[in-house]
Amino acid sequence: MSIDMRRTDIFAVVAAMLTLLSCYKDLSTEATMSIPEIVVTGMPEKIDLVWGDEINLTVQVSQEGRSESDFSYLWEIDFFPSSSKERIELSDEPTVIYKVSNTPSDIPYILSLKVTDNTTGVSKICISKVYVGTSMGEGVLVAHTRDNGKTTEFDIAKDKSITYGYEDDTKYTRGLYSLANGQPLEGRVLSMVETACTNGAVFNTNKIFIGTEEHIITVDPLNFQRTGIDEELFNNTSLDNYCTTAMFNYGGYSTCAVINGVLYGMLCNIDSVFSKVAFTKSPQNIFEGGNYGYYALDQGCLLIFNSNDSRFYYLYGWMLLSSAISELDASFAFDATGAKALGGGAIKGNYPCLLMQAADGKCYVCGFDPSSSVVTPFTYPVQGTVPSNLVGVAFCDNADLLYMATESKIYSVLITGGKATVEALSWAPDSSDEKITAIRHYTQGWYGTHQYYYADYPFKLSTNRTQMLIVTYNEKTGEGKIYMRPFNVSTGRFTLKSNSTLKGFGEITAITTTFK
């Protein structure tokens, strides 16, 4: 065979091979292999929440020819806003549950999900931008214990009847103190209040004050981290024990704390520390549960009954740290010798009031008009029985009305025609095992504080000052509740409609309302 013929045969073989290769379909993954798309649903593009909220997402993953067991998952989130240098792993399941402790930021955190097809090794990554808000927002802050006061935890509840502009179902942020500080607060909480203080120029410092049987502390309303304790919060005051039984805002620029029966005050337009209020009488520890009433707006006025000398005293808000308390010279229309105060507050007209029980057992609602140049007390005899086992008294400063509570019943006391008439209301808790432990007239968190004037505040709820907060506890189940009951300011009766019930707490020891 000639060389030319052999060359021709070789060319023919090569040509045939090229033809065969041109018809071959490349099934390698690096070429044209067709892999069905991984489809992920349930992953939002954006998540808006506030510090302490919970992310709870479950995604659905599908792919042609695959089942759920064919995939693996990896959830991660930035530890710093939009910074992939430090990320934390959250879950390797289709569901991720994460309580957000990330610092509030206008820059979003990136929540990512990597879904991997275990057969091919192909992955799909989805992301959500997580915006963490700068405030817990408006609602009711609840201090509660599950170990008989050894420790206390804090939850905040949002609801359309306590949170301006909120229309969804009741929402809870649980375990705020542990989330921020690593463990619950030691001790039983007795009182709380949120207030606005100044650096000397503008009201730019909001604080939540918390009082226990031994300490008084402050926490940051943005992230609930502790910011101060005991003598750090006082001007030249050091005590062995800071048992703080009550705290309240009143009189335009004043916040008060009752510590070991002594009144301490803070003028929030000047500084953010407490000082001891001057007294004219000894002993000075005259503040007991229920023996003082005050009006929260305008300049405010405090009315006090001193059981040590059976006399009444008063103090205007703007004189909190510059003057001693003054004795109320004019007399009420009953003998105050041996009397006791059952509760205090204010009624319509900016009148601070007290519910008093005389030594003979008769009861009276008494108060005075602090705006008058001549101090003229008024006395309304109570018609009807005042129970001996009261657990709470709540005055309504927008009506001539107050409420009393025992463990099982609520009573209205309507002031009209020169007398105060008691009526037992038909309302009762959901279960007979629930015992009423406290009652409070609902006011929004800003009300009586120092940032806003009542007439100008743009975010007033229709429920502000028109509902009662009734606290209960069921020892059998260990659950505490807060019933929100609207009332008629003219009759004192509860309306037929409930404003919802806050649930899921331990034994509730203190509540307060928070700012928007």
Side-chain angles (χ1 to χ4, degrees):
M1 181 181 291
S2 68
I3 294 177
D4 289 339
M5 289 183 64
R6 289 199 302 268
R7 184 178 298 168
T8 301
D9 292 340
I10 292 172
F11 286 157
V13 171
V14 171
M17 291 178 64
L18 290 175
T19 301
L20 179 63
L21 288 174
S22 69
C23 298
Y24 176 75
K25 184 177 181 180
D26 188 353
L27 297 178
S28 72
T29 56
E30 294 181 353
T32 59
M33 180 180 177
S34 177
I35 300 177
E37 180 185 0
I38 299 174
V39 178
V40 179
T41 57
M43 184 80 169
E45 294 182 1
K46 177 183 176 184
I47 302 174
D48 288 301
L49 37 71
V50 298
W51 185 95
D53 276 354
E54 186 177 81
I55 295 174
N56 191 332
L57 295 176
T58 300
V59 295
Q60 293 77 45
V61 177
S62 61
Q63 185 182 21
E64 184 180 343
R66 299 286 186 267
S67 62
E68 184 177 332
S69 61
D70 293 324
F71 301 103
S72 58
Y73 305 83
L74 177 62
W75 291 90
E76 294 180 305
I77 194 170
D78 299 337
F79 195 71
F80 297 102
S82 290
S83 173
S84 60
K85 293 181 180 179
E86 292 193 46
R87 311 201 80 224
I88 54 176
E89 183 176 330
L90 304 180
S91 174
D92 58 3
E93 301 290 337
T95 296
V96 62
I97 300 175
Y98 173 58
K99 199 164 191 178
V100 176
S101 58
N102 304 58
T103 304
S105 173
D106 292 331
I107 303 173
Y109 295 86
I110 302 301
L111 173 69
S112 67
L113 169 63
K114 182 180 180 181
V115 179
T116 302
D117 179 346
N118 296 327
T119 302
T120 63
V122 174
S123 299
K124 181 169 185 174
I125 296 177
C126 303
I127 66 168
S128 288
K129 293 181 178 180
V130 179
Y131 290 88
V132 181
T134 57
S135 173
M136 291 186 296
E138 184 178 26
V140 171
L141 181 66
V142 182
H144 61 104
T145 178
R146 299 186 187 276
D147 54 15
N148 199 31
K150 293 180 181 178
T151 62
T152 296
E153 195 50 88
F154 300 82
D155 300 346
I156 190 168
K158 294 183 179 181
D159 186 87
K160 58 186 177 183
S161 64
I162 53 176
T163 307
Y164 186 88
Y166 185 78
E167 295 297 332
D168 294 333
D169 295 336
T170 306
K171 179 180 179 180
Y172 302 93
T173 304
R174 309 281 192 184
L176 289 168
Y177 200 87
S178 291
L179 181 65
N181 303 283
Q183 59 186 8
L185 178 67
E186 292 187 3
R188 177 182 289 268
V189 170
L190 305 178
S191 58
M192 296 191 296
V193 70
E194 182 174 359
T195 192
C197 301
T198 179
N199 63 356
V202 295
F203 287 111
N204 61 350
T205 305
N206 283 12
K207 296 181 179 181
I208 297 176
F209 286 85
I210 298 171
T212 75
E213 294 173 318
E214 296 183 359
H215 302 285
I216 179 172
I217 70 169
T218 54
V219 297
D220 187 335
L222 302 184
N223 56 27
F224 226 73
Q225 292 178 347
R226 199 177 79 179
T227 56
I229 184 171
D230 294 344
E231 62 185 79
E232 298 171 4
L233 311 176
F234 290 80
N235 180 27
N236 298 322
T237 300
S238 180
L239 304 173
D240 294 332
N241 180 280
Y242 290 82
C243 180
T244 309
T245 54
M247 287 186 283
F248 53 92
N249 298 316
Y250 93 110
Y253 300 105
S254 306
T255 293
C256 289
V258 178
I259 300 172
N260 301 321
V262 177
L263 183 67
Y264 291 81
M266 177 194 306
L267 294 180
C268 299
N269 61 332
I270 297 176
D271 55 26
S272 58
V273 293
F274 286 107
S275 297
K276 190 175 182 180
V277 177
F279 281 78
T280 57
K281 298 281 186 179
S282 293
Q284 296 186 1
N285 55 333
I286 67 172
F287 280 80
E288 305 160 341
N291 75 325
Y292 56 91
Y294 64 93
Y295 187 71
L297 296 184
D298 302 325
Q299 293 299 333
C301 186
L302 193 64
L303 174 65
I304 311 118
F305 178 72
N306 183 0
S307 59
N308 296 301
D309 60 13
S310 297
R311 295 183 182 276
F312 293 87
Y313 296 84
Y314 67 98
L315 178 67
Y316 289 100
W318 70 87
M319 301 177 71
L320 186 66
L321 299 181
S322 61
S323 178
I325 63 173
S326 301
E327 185 175 341
L328 200 63
D329 294 329
S331 300
F332 292 100
F334 66 96
D335 184 1
T337 303
K340 63 179 179 179
L342 303 178
I347 59 173
K348 186 170 64 176
N350 301 5
Y351 302 153
C353 288
L354 291 169
L355 174 61
M356 298 294 303
Q357 186 174 54
D360 61 5
K362 294 181 180 179
C363 292
Y364 306 85
V365 175
C366 61
F368 75 105
D369 180 0
S371 65
S372 174
S373 57
V374 178
V375 175
T376 305
F378 55 80
T379 306
Y380 299 112
V382 174
Q383 305 295 308
T385 301
V386 173
S388 60
N389 55 343
L390 293 180
V391 297
V393 173
F395 280 79
C396 304
D397 67 357
N398 58 335
D400 293 323
L401 177 65
L402 66 137
Y403 290 89
M404 307 180 298
T406 66
E407 286 188 347
S408 59
K409 292 194 71 66
I410 303 293
Y411 302 81
S412 67
V413 183
L414 186 64
I415 301 169
T416 182
K419 60 185 178 181
T421 304
V422 177
E423 180 180 359
L425 304 182
S426 60
W427 182 87
D430 292 339
S431 167
S432 60
D433 292 327
E434 294 180 49
K435 306 301 181 186
I436 301 169
T437 59
I439 187 170
R440 172 175 173 153
H441 185 212
Y442 169 74
T443 55
Q444 287 178 262
W446 62 269
Y447 183 84
T449 59
H450 325 302
Q451 289 181 316
Y452 310 107
Y453 290 100
Y454 179 71
D456 301 330
Y457 189 71
F459 306 114
K460 282 180 279 195
L461 284 164
S462 62
T463 53
N464 183 45
R465 304 199 294 170
T466 62
Q467 64 178 341
M468 300 303 299
L469 303 183
I470 305 169
V471 181
T472 68
Y473 182 59
N474 187 330
E475 289 188 356
K476 292 183 178 180
T477 63
E479 183 184 26
K481 296 180 181 178
I482 302 174
Y483 294 86
M484 300 184 289
R485 292 297 314 193
F487 62 88
N488 186 306
V489 296
S490 299
T491 67
R493 297 188 180 97
F494 289 163
T495 63
L496 296 177
K497 181 182 178 182
S498 169
N499 278 350
S500 186
T501 303
L502 308 179
K503 303 178 181 180
F505 311 102
E507 179 193 357
I508 298 171
T509 61
I511 61 175
T512 193
T513 50
T514 56
F515 294 170
K516 182 176 174 61

